Amino acid sequence: MAASTNSFLVGNNNQIPSLKPKSTSQSLLHLAKPNTLHLAGKTKPASVRCVSSPTQIQDGARSAPTGSQDRVFNFAAGPATLPENVLLKAQADLYNWRGSGMSVMEMSHRGKEFLSIIQKAESDLRQLLEIPSEYSVLFLQGGATTQFAGLPLNLCKPDDAVDFVVTGSWGDKAVKEAKKYCKTNVIWSGKSDKYTKVPSFDALEQSPDAKYLHICANETIHGVEFKDYPVVRNPNGFLVADMSSNFCSKPVDVSKFGVIYGGAQKNVGPSGVTIVIIRKDLIGNAQEITPVMLDYKIHDENSSLYNTPPCFGIYMCGLVFEDLLDQGGLKEVERKNQRKADLLYNAIEESKGFFKCPVEKSVRSLMNVPFTLEKSELEGEFIKEAAKEKMVQLKGHRSVGGMRASIYNAMPLAGVEKLVAFMKDFQAKHA
């Protein structure tokens, strides 16, 4: 397939305008405001250069106290906690983005200012995940749930077979939606074991003619995560993964997948942005009934700008991508995530049954940690008392009960340390 206009990071690239300091002025809305910046230069074909300078926050420019002491530790599954420095940078630029005289929320999505934002966001994401040039990156809307329909509509015909490995609620929902547009085949389900494990890949009986194999790489509700990925046996087939809740939490070999997709609201931004990474040769074969807003070809040819995108959400994702790169990339991010998860899981194991995690140890999620109390009648008190200590959203999903701590990239180690200390104190009082 010929490269589309969305492949600007590989071929027809637009240069991100350079940035120069400008004088400061008092912001309205009582928001912190840094030294403002203005854009210089004109857009022209060139290679993308990530030249934006980190926003500096003036000491004393904030009219209200900010900082960790004013915030809770938010263990929500999504929308979830965001990096504090990212929030402060967005706050500082909210009223007047880099001297443009506008907030990002006011910009035309076709203006040079927003084009520089979305191009840099894609460039940084490609660098983070080492996305090959033969893949397109789409910034869409509707959540991963919308892609449950978008995938079969774009990737296969009504009579095509599609295999599913179902390791939790989201994989199950994907099957139910896909069966409207293709012939679904659940080759393995963990439902009988209450979604606590991942199957042996060798034992999977894949359909020889399956168009693709679908997995949910990390089940947010049940806390089950693939540590490796199955190989599709059909030589013409490919692997598709919903990575909503572990996206950019660790390095991933994108070339192993035909499509990676996910909502941004857990690890890389606010709700409202859906990211699809798709091999370019899979674009352009949508079923005739496919709505225009679900057609990957339309979005690819228009560089994710066919209609007004979630501009501010994409801007926030870009700030998060920049932050992840500043941390040292996804290998360093994974190391931090592993440390946090080990701390919490070890506390559960060392409680001698007072706390329990039902998930098989080898596939426990680094992102979502479900656990129960030996005395289930104490769970309400646990959640209530934790909230008093500024640890919130620990109640488990309504479908499974118990507790769940979502410890995404932006959850600091201090948050997990505080939770573990609280768990030990709670056990001492109630054991």
Side-chain angles (χ1 to χ4, degrees):
M1 173 181 282
S4 73
T5 56
N6 194 50
S7 60
F8 54 79
L9 290 169
V10 181
N12 298 325
N13 300 349
N14 289 327
Q15 182 177 352
I16 295 175
S18 60
L19 303 171
K20 296 180 181 179
K22 190 178 180 182
S23 61
T24 60
S25 61
Q26 180 65 36
S27 97
L28 298 181
L29 302 179
H30 303 288
L31 295 175
K33 186 167 183 283
N35 291 333
T36 55
L37 302 168
H38 72 276
L39 293 167
K42 296 182 179 179
T43 303
K44 61 183 180 179
S47 297
V48 168
R49 294 188 296 110
C50 302
V51 297
S52 62
S53 302
T55 304
Q56 300 299 318
I57 298 174
Q58 282 186 292
D59 292 336
R62 307 178 186 122
S63 60
T66 57
S68 300
Q69 70 274 15
D70 304 304
R71 290 172 55 80
V72 297
F73 287 119
N74 177 12
F75 292 94
T81 190
L82 286 164
E84 186 174 303
N85 61 315
V86 165
L87 292 172
L88 292 173
K89 185 178 290 187
Q91 180 195 48
D93 274 345
L94 181 62
Y95 175 65
N96 183 356
W97 184 80
R98 297 183 176 177
S100 65
M102 303 176 279
S103 170
V104 173
M105 291 184 283
E106 302 171 298
M107 291 176 181
S108 167
H109 60 292
R110 304 196 190 282
K112 64 179 182 180
E113 294 88 359
F114 184 72
L115 288 178
S116 73
I117 289 171
I118 193 171
Q119 288 166 10
K120 186 174 189 301
E122 179 172 344
S123 178
D124 285 350
L125 178 58
R126 284 183 177 272
Q127 184 178 346
L128 274 170
L129 284 171
E130 299 180 358
I131 300 173
S133 60
E134 59 266 26
Y135 286 74
S136 286
V137 175
L138 307 178
F139 293 100
L140 307 177
Q141 303 181 64
T145 303
T146 299
Q147 298 309 313
F148 294 166
L151 289 161
L153 283 169
N154 279 274
L155 302 176
C156 56
K157 304 304 179 187
D159 292 332
D160 286 340
V162 176
D163 286 346
F164 287 81
V165 172
V166 179
T167 53
S169 295
W170 293 110
D172 184 58
K173 291 177 187 292
V175 175
K176 291 175 179 176
E177 185 69 5
K179 69 172 51 177
K180 302 173 184 177
Y181 310 108
C182 65
K183 293 183 177 180
T184 58
N185 181 26
V186 178
I187 61 174
W188 189 90
S189 172
K191 189 172 184 178
S192 61
D193 293 310
K194 298 183 178 180
Y195 296 128
T196 55
K197 58 181 66 175
V198 169
S200 166
F201 300 151
D202 293 337
L204 294 176
E205 296 183 8
Q206 298 184 37
S207 305
D209 58 345
K211 192 74 174 182
Y212 61 88
L213 170 61
H214 181 280
I215 64 171
C216 180
N218 185 82
E219 283 284 355
T220 318
I221 294 174
H222 296 89
V224 176
E225 183 174 19
F226 281 77
K227 305 301 181 181
D228 198 2
Y229 305 104
V231 176
V232 177
R233 292 178 185 170
N234 177 4
N236 296 315
F238 48 90
L239 185 61
V240 173
D242 176 355
M243 292 192 178
S244 293
S245 53
N246 66 349
F247 188 69
C248 285
S249 66
K250 60 183 179 181
V252 172
D253 184 352
V254 174
S255 67
K256 290 184 177 181
F257 301 84
V259 183
I260 292 171
Y261 70 101
Q265 70 274 10
K266 301 174 187 298
N267 249 334
V268 296
S271 59
V273 180
T274 308
I275 297 171
V276 173
I277 301 170
I278 180 170
R279 215 172 64 205
K280 292 180 180 180
D281 64 298
L282 300 177
I283 298 173
N285 302 300
Q287 297 181 30
E288 290 185 5
I289 65 169
T290 305
V292 66
M293 287 303 295
L294 293 184
D295 191 333
Y296 295 150
K297 185 173 186 289
I298 295 292
H299 294 293
D300 184 54
E301 289 180 340
N302 289 276
S303 303
S304 301
L305 297 170
Y306 174 74
N307 70 328
T308 306
C311 295
F312 194 79
I314 292 170
Y315 160 71
M316 290 296 294
C317 289
L319 294 184
V320 173
F321 298 151
E322 189 176 84
D323 179 67
L324 294 176
L325 288 171
D326 288 345
Q327 290 184 48
L330 297 187
K331 287 184 179 179
E332 176 62 16
V333 170
E334 182 184 29
R335 185 191 67 78
K336 293 177 180 177
N337 287 333
Q338 186 69 59
R339 183 182 178 188
K340 291 183 296 184
D342 287 346
L343 183 64
L344 184 49
Y345 283 121
N346 287 341
I348 292 170
E349 294 301 314
E350 292 167 4
S351 73
K352 299 180 180 179
F354 187 83
F355 297 102
K356 297 178 181 179
C357 176
V359 181
E360 188 177 277
K361 290 183 179 180
S362 63
V363 293
R364 287 178 173 175
S365 171
L366 297 188
M367 299 286 99
N368 310 102
V369 181
F371 59 98
T372 59
L373 278 166
E374 184 179 35
K375 301 175 182 178
S376 59
E377 66 273 14
L378 292 175
E379 290 176 356
E381 182 178 351
F382 179 93
I383 293 166
K384 182 178 178 181
E385 293 300 314
K388 291 180 181 178
E389 298 297 323
K390 302 178 78 171
M391 293 176 287
V392 301
Q393 299 296 325
L394 283 164
K395 186 176 182 179
H397 190 271
R398 60 187 180 277
S399 65
V400 297
M403 280 78 66
R404 173 180 55 178
S406 293
I407 51 174
Y408 298 121
N409 291 349
M411 173 58 65
L413 178 62
V416 179
E417 290 174 336
K418 184 172 182 178
L419 175 59
V420 167
F422 173 78
M423 292 167 67
K424 292 179 178 178
D425 287 345
F426 191 88
Q427 180 176 359
K429 292 177 183 178
H430 298 283

